mmCIF file of all heavy atoms in Angstrom:
data_model
loop_
_atom_site.group_PDB
_atom_site.id
_atom_site.type_symbol
_atom_site.label_atom_id
_atom_site.label_comp_id
_atom_site.label_asym_id
_atom_site.label_seq_id
_atom_site.Cartn_x
_atom_site.Cartn_y
_atom_site.Cartn_z
ATOM 1 N N ALA N 1 -122.447 84.930 32.307
ATOM 2 C CA ALA N 1 -123.197 85.790 33.229
ATOM 3 C C ALA N 1 -122.231 86.801 33.834
ATOM 4 O O ALA N 1 -121.112 86.444 34.237
ATOM 5 C CB ALA N 1 -123.860 84.965 34.322
ATOM 6 N N ALA N 2 -122.651 88.040 33.885
ATOM 7 C CA ALA N 2 -121.797 89.112 34.400
ATOM 8 C C ALA N 2 -121.406 88.891 35.859
ATOM 9 O O ALA N 2 -120.344 89.355 36.289
ATOM 10 C CB ALA N 2 -122.493 90.463 34.231
ATOM 11 N N ASP N 3 -122.221 88.147 36.602
ATOM 12 C CA ASP N 3 -121.908 87.931 38.011
ATOM 13 C C ASP N 3 -121.342 86.531 38.295
ATOM 14 O O ASP N 3 -121.297 86.090 39.434
ATOM 15 C CB ASP N 3 -123.135 88.191 38.884
ATOM 16 C CG ASP N 3 -124.273 87.217 38.642
ATOM 17 O OD1 ASP N 3 -124.222 86.452 37.641
ATOM 18 O OD2 ASP N 3 -125.222 87.212 39.441
ATOM 19 N N ASP N 4 -120.871 85.853 37.256
ATOM 20 C CA ASP N 4 -120.263 84.527 37.431
ATOM 21 C C ASP N 4 -118.892 84.711 38.086
ATOM 22 O O ASP N 4 -118.029 85.397 37.555
ATOM 23 C CB ASP N 4 -120.114 83.860 36.065
ATOM 24 C CG ASP N 4 -119.652 82.414 36.145
ATOM 25 O OD1 ASP N 4 -118.999 82.037 37.140
ATOM 26 O OD2 ASP N 4 -119.947 81.671 35.194
ATOM 27 N N ARG N 5 -118.698 84.116 39.238
ATOM 28 C CA ARG N 5 -117.438 84.272 39.970
ATOM 29 C C ARG N 5 -116.438 83.176 39.612
ATOM 30 O O ARG N 5 -115.271 83.271 39.962
ATOM 31 C CB ARG N 5 -117.708 84.296 41.467
ATOM 32 C CG ARG N 5 -118.579 85.514 41.828
ATOM 33 C CD ARG N 5 -119.004 85.505 43.247
ATOM 34 N NE ARG N 5 -117.926 86.042 44.072
ATOM 35 C CZ ARG N 5 -117.954 86.065 45.377
ATOM 36 N NH1 ARG N 5 -118.984 85.570 46.027
ATOM 37 N NH2 ARG N 5 -116.945 86.570 46.051
ATOM 38 N N ILE N 6 -116.879 82.127 38.909
ATOM 39 C CA ILE N 6 -115.973 81.046 38.512
ATOM 40 C C ILE N 6 -115.387 81.332 37.135
ATOM 41 O O ILE N 6 -114.183 81.150 36.912
ATOM 42 C CB ILE N 6 -116.704 79.688 38.558
ATOM 43 C CG1 ILE N 6 -117.112 79.398 40.009
ATOM 44 C CG2 ILE N 6 -115.822 78.571 38.004
ATOM 45 C CD1 ILE N 6 -118.006 78.205 40.185
ATOM 46 N N VAL N 7 -116.228 81.760 36.195
ATOM 47 C CA VAL N 7 -115.777 82.192 34.870
ATOM 48 C C VAL N 7 -116.194 83.652 34.735
ATOM 49 O O VAL N 7 -117.274 83.958 34.237
ATOM 50 C CB VAL N 7 -116.383 81.332 33.741
ATOM 51 C CG1 VAL N 7 -115.834 81.772 32.388
ATOM 52 C CG2 VAL N 7 -116.115 79.853 33.971
ATOM 53 N N PRO N 8 -115.337 84.574 35.190
ATOM 54 C CA PRO N 8 -115.705 85.985 35.214
ATOM 55 C C PRO N 8 -115.939 86.574 33.819
ATOM 56 O O PRO N 8 -115.469 86.045 32.814
ATOM 57 C CB PRO N 8 -114.510 86.666 35.878
ATOM 58 C CG PRO N 8 -113.665 85.591 36.435
ATOM 59 C CD PRO N 8 -114.027 84.330 35.747
ATOM 60 N N GLU N 9 -116.652 87.669 33.809
ATOM 61 C CA GLU N 9 -117.010 88.356 32.569
ATOM 62 C C GLU N 9 -115.804 88.630 31.680
ATOM 63 O O GLU N 9 -115.878 88.464 30.458
ATOM 64 C CB GLU N 9 -117.730 89.668 32.918
ATOM 65 C CG GLU N 9 -118.160 90.471 31.735
ATOM 66 C CD GLU N 9 -118.905 91.736 32.132
ATOM 67 O OE1 GLU N 9 -119.284 91.903 33.308
ATOM 68 O OE2 GLU N 9 -119.105 92.575 31.242
ATOM 69 N N HIS N 10 -114.687 89.026 32.247
ATOM 70 C CA HIS N 10 -113.521 89.357 31.411
ATOM 71 C C HIS N 10 -112.989 88.123 30.676
ATOM 72 O O HIS N 10 -112.482 88.241 29.564
ATOM 73 C CB HIS N 10 -112.418 90.048 32.226
ATOM 74 C CG HIS N 10 -111.689 89.156 33.166
ATOM 75 N ND1 HIS N 10 -112.136 88.888 34.440
ATOM 76 C CD2 HIS N 10 -110.535 88.469 33.015
ATOM 77 C CE1 HIS N 10 -111.288 88.070 35.037
ATOM 78 N NE2 HIS N 10 -110.313 87.788 34.193
ATOM 79 N N ILE N 11 -113.139 86.952 31.247
ATOM 80 C CA ILE N 11 -112.703 85.731 30.558
ATOM 81 C C ILE N 11 -113.681 85.381 29.434
ATOM 82 O O ILE N 11 -113.267 85.005 28.333
ATOM 83 C CB ILE N 11 -112.539 84.567 31.553
ATOM 84 C CG1 ILE N 11 -111.359 84.859 32.467
ATOM 85 C CG2 ILE N 11 -112.361 83.239 30.817
ATOM 86 C CD1 ILE N 11 -111.129 83.843 33.549
ATOM 87 N N VAL N 12 -114.963 85.524 29.694
ATOM 88 C CA VAL N 12 -115.973 85.270 28.658
ATOM 89 C C VAL N 12 -115.724 86.205 27.473
ATOM 90 O O VAL N 12 -115.758 85.780 26.316
ATOM 91 C CB VAL N 12 -117.398 85.456 29.231
ATOM 92 C CG1 VAL N 12 -118.448 85.354 28.145
ATOM 93 C CG2 VAL N 12 -117.668 84.446 30.327
ATOM 94 N N LYS N 13 -115.458 87.459 27.746
ATOM 95 C CA LYS N 13 -115.193 88.429 26.677
ATOM 96 C C LYS N 13 -113.891 88.108 25.943
ATOM 97 O O LYS N 13 -113.789 88.293 24.729
ATOM 98 C CB LYS N 13 -115.150 89.845 27.244
ATOM 99 C CG LYS N 13 -116.521 90.353 27.630
ATOM 100 C CD LYS N 13 -116.459 91.764 28.181
ATOM 101 C CE LYS N 13 -117.832 92.306 28.468
ATOM 102 N NZ LYS N 13 -117.786 93.672 29.031
ATOM 103 N N ARG N 14 -112.886 87.608 26.653
ATOM 104 C CA ARG N 14 -111.618 87.239 26.018
ATOM 105 C C ARG N 14 -111.827 86.053 25.076
ATOM 106 O O ARG N 14 -111.309 86.045 23.954
ATOM 107 C CB ARG N 14 -110.567 86.912 27.067
ATOM 108 C CG ARG N 14 -109.204 86.613 26.462
ATOM 109 C CD ARG N 14 -108.142 86.453 27.495
ATOM 110 N NE ARG N 14 -108.444 85.265 28.295
ATOM 111 C CZ ARG N 14 -107.911 85.002 29.465
ATOM 112 N NH1 ARG N 14 -107.066 85.858 30.017
ATOM 113 N NH2 ARG N 14 -108.205 83.899 30.111
ATOM 114 N N VAL N 15 -112.595 85.063 25.513
ATOM 115 C CA VAL N 15 -112.897 83.918 24.646
ATOM 116 C C VAL N 15 -113.634 84.405 23.403
ATOM 117 O O VAL N 15 -113.277 84.050 22.275
ATOM 118 C CB VAL N 15 -113.732 82.864 25.405
ATOM 119 C CG1 VAL N 15 -114.318 81.836 24.452
ATOM 120 C CG2 VAL N 15 -112.879 82.179 26.477
ATOM 121 N N HIS N 16 -114.644 85.225 23.588
ATOM 122 C CA HIS N 16 -115.408 85.760 22.456
ATOM 123 C C HIS N 16 -114.502 86.517 21.480
ATOM 124 O O HIS N 16 -114.601 86.335 20.264
ATOM 125 C CB HIS N 16 -116.519 86.680 22.971
ATOM 126 C CG HIS N 16 -117.136 87.501 21.901
ATOM 127 N ND1 HIS N 16 -116.915 88.860 21.789
ATOM 128 C CD2 HIS N 16 -117.951 87.166 20.878
ATOM 129 C CE1 HIS N 16 -117.570 89.317 20.744
ATOM 130 N NE2 HIS N 16 -118.212 88.311 20.177
ATOM 131 N N ALA N 17 -113.616 87.326 21.995
ATOM 132 C CA ALA N 17 -112.736 88.128 21.134
ATOM 133 C C ALA N 17 -111.806 87.266 20.287
ATOM 134 O O ALA N 17 -111.384 87.679 19.213
ATOM 135 C CB ALA N 17 -111.922 89.099 21.989
ATOM 136 N N ARG N 18 -111.504 86.070 20.746
ATOM 137 C CA ARG N 18 -110.579 85.191 20.023
ATOM 138 C C ARG N 18 -111.272 84.264 19.030
ATOM 139 O O ARG N 18 -110.610 83.536 18.309
ATOM 140 C CB ARG N 18 -109.767 84.377 21.013
ATOM 141 C CG ARG N 18 -108.815 85.237 21.799
ATOM 142 C CD ARG N 18 -107.988 84.425 22.744
ATOM 143 N NE ARG N 18 -107.040 85.285 23.454
ATOM 144 C CZ ARG N 18 -106.221 84.854 24.375
ATOM 145 N NH1 ARG N 18 -106.190 83.585 24.705
ATOM 146 N NH2 ARG N 18 -105.404 85.692 24.969
ATOM 147 N N LEU N 19 -112.574 84.298 18.993
ATOM 148 C CA LEU N 19 -113.321 83.463 18.052
ATOM 149 C C LEU N 19 -113.654 84.265 16.805
ATOM 150 O O LEU N 19 -114.379 85.258 16.884
ATOM 151 C CB LEU N 19 -114.610 82.953 18.695
ATOM 152 C CG LEU N 19 -114.444 81.859 19.735
ATOM 153 C CD1 LEU N 19 -115.733 81.683 20.526
ATOM 154 C CD2 LEU N 19 -114.033 80.559 19.081
ATOM 155 N N PRO N 20 -113.150 83.862 15.664
ATOM 156 C CA PRO N 20 -113.396 84.626 14.434
ATOM 157 C C PRO N 20 -114.877 84.808 14.110
ATOM 158 O O PRO N 20 -115.270 85.847 13.591
ATOM 159 C CB PRO N 20 -112.709 83.790 13.354
ATOM 160 C CG PRO N 20 -111.720 82.955 14.071
ATOM 161 C CD PRO N 20 -112.288 82.706 15.433
ATOM 162 N N ALA N 21 -115.696 83.816 14.400
ATOM 163 C CA ALA N 21 -117.127 83.905 14.094
ATOM 164 C C ALA N 21 -117.949 83.825 15.377
ATOM 165 O O ALA N 21 -119.057 83.298 15.389
ATOM 166 C CB ALA N 21 -117.527 82.797 13.123
ATOM 167 N N GLY N 22 -117.411 84.384 16.437
ATOM 168 C CA GLY N 22 -118.092 84.315 17.728
ATOM 169 C C GLY N 22 -119.127 85.402 17.908
ATOM 170 O O GLY N 22 -118.998 86.499 17.383
ATOM 171 N N GLU N 23 -120.154 85.059 18.644
ATOM 172 C CA GLU N 23 -121.190 86.020 19.028
ATOM 173 C C GLU N 23 -121.325 85.940 20.547
ATOM 174 O O GLU N 23 -121.348 84.849 21.111
ATOM 175 C CB GLU N 23 -122.510 85.661 18.361
ATOM 176 C CG GLU N 23 -123.630 86.611 18.696
ATOM 177 C CD GLU N 23 -124.911 86.267 17.951
ATOM 178 O OE1 GLU N 23 -124.837 85.794 16.803
ATOM 179 O OE2 GLU N 23 -125.988 86.468 18.537
ATOM 180 N N LEU N 24 -121.397 87.073 21.196
ATOM 181 C CA LEU N 24 -121.439 87.131 22.652
ATOM 182 C C LEU N 24 -122.838 87.436 23.161
ATOM 183 O O LEU N 24 -123.504 88.340 22.669
ATOM 184 C CB LEU N 24 -120.477 88.211 23.160
ATOM 185 C CG LEU N 24 -120.438 88.454 24.661
ATOM 186 C CD1 LEU N 24 -119.962 87.215 25.407
ATOM 187 C CD2 LEU N 24 -119.551 89.656 24.979
ATOM 188 N N ALA N 25 -123.270 86.658 24.146
ATOM 189 C CA ALA N 25 -124.502 86.935 24.882
ATOM 190 C C ALA N 25 -124.116 86.972 26.352
ATOM 191 O O ALA N 25 -123.710 85.962 26.913
ATOM 192 C CB ALA N 25 -125.548 85.863 24.627
ATOM 193 N N LEU N 26 -124.193 88.141 26.959
ATOM 194 C CA LEU N 26 -123.825 88.293 28.359
ATOM 195 C C LEU N 26 -125.093 88.555 29.172
ATOM 196 O O LEU N 26 -125.788 89.549 28.957
ATOM 197 C CB LEU N 26 -122.833 89.446 28.526
ATOM 198 C CG LEU N 26 -122.086 89.494 29.841
ATOM 199 C CD1 LEU N 26 -121.281 88.223 30.072
ATOM 200 C CD2 LEU N 26 -121.170 90.697 29.875
ATOM 201 N N ILE N 27 -125.386 87.634 30.057
ATOM 202 C CA ILE N 27 -126.566 87.732 30.914
ATOM 203 C C ILE N 27 -126.167 88.510 32.168
ATOM 204 O O ILE N 27 -125.088 88.290 32.717
ATOM 205 C CB ILE N 27 -127.069 86.312 31.269
ATOM 206 C CG1 ILE N 27 -127.496 85.589 29.990
ATOM 207 C CG2 ILE N 27 -128.200 86.373 32.278
ATOM 208 C CD1 ILE N 27 -127.792 84.116 30.176
ATOM 209 N N GLU N 28 -127.020 89.402 32.622
ATOM 210 C CA GLU N 28 -126.688 90.262 33.759
ATOM 211 C C GLU N 28 -126.459 89.502 35.055
ATOM 212 O O GLU N 28 -125.560 89.817 35.815
ATOM 213 C CB GLU N 28 -127.791 91.296 33.984
ATOM 214 C CG GLU N 28 -127.807 92.390 32.957
ATOM 215 C CD GLU N 28 -128.832 93.444 33.311
ATOM 216 O OE1 GLU N 28 -128.937 93.809 34.500
ATOM 217 O OE2 GLU N 28 -129.526 93.895 32.392
ATOM 218 N N ARG N 29 -127.296 88.514 35.303
ATOM 219 C CA ARG N 29 -127.188 87.801 36.579
ATOM 220 C C ARG N 29 -127.474 86.318 36.349
ATOM 221 O O ARG N 29 -127.942 85.924 35.301
ATOM 222 C CB ARG N 29 -128.155 88.379 37.594
ATOM 223 C CG ARG N 29 -129.604 88.234 37.215
ATOM 224 C CD ARG N 29 -130.527 88.917 38.215
ATOM 225 N NE ARG N 29 -131.920 88.696 37.896
ATOM 226 C CZ ARG N 29 -132.589 89.272 36.904
ATOM 227 N NH1 ARG N 29 -131.965 90.112 36.103
ATOM 228 N NH2 ARG N 29 -133.855 89.013 36.694
ATOM 229 N N GLY N 30 -127.202 85.545 37.360
ATOM 230 C CA GLY N 30 -127.456 84.116 37.268
ATOM 231 C C GLY N 30 -126.308 83.282 37.794
ATOM 232 O O GLY N 30 -126.425 82.093 37.997
#
């Protein structure tokens, strides 16, 4: 979630970028 303060968006994107077969779904809020 873009507004997650515990696992921020930049960390989610970093994890996704390091997964060879990863797909990212970023929810705006929650």
Side-chain angles (χ1 to χ4, degrees):
D3 65 348
D4 187 335
R5 297 173 82 186
I6 296 172
V7 183
E9 180 178 349
H10 72 274
I11 292 176
V12 174
K13 287 180 176 179
R14 184 173 65 197
V15 167
H16 167 252
R18 292 182 178 178
L19 286 166
E23 180 177 326
L24 177 63
L26 196 59
I27 297 170
E28 287 185 42
R29 63 184 184 286

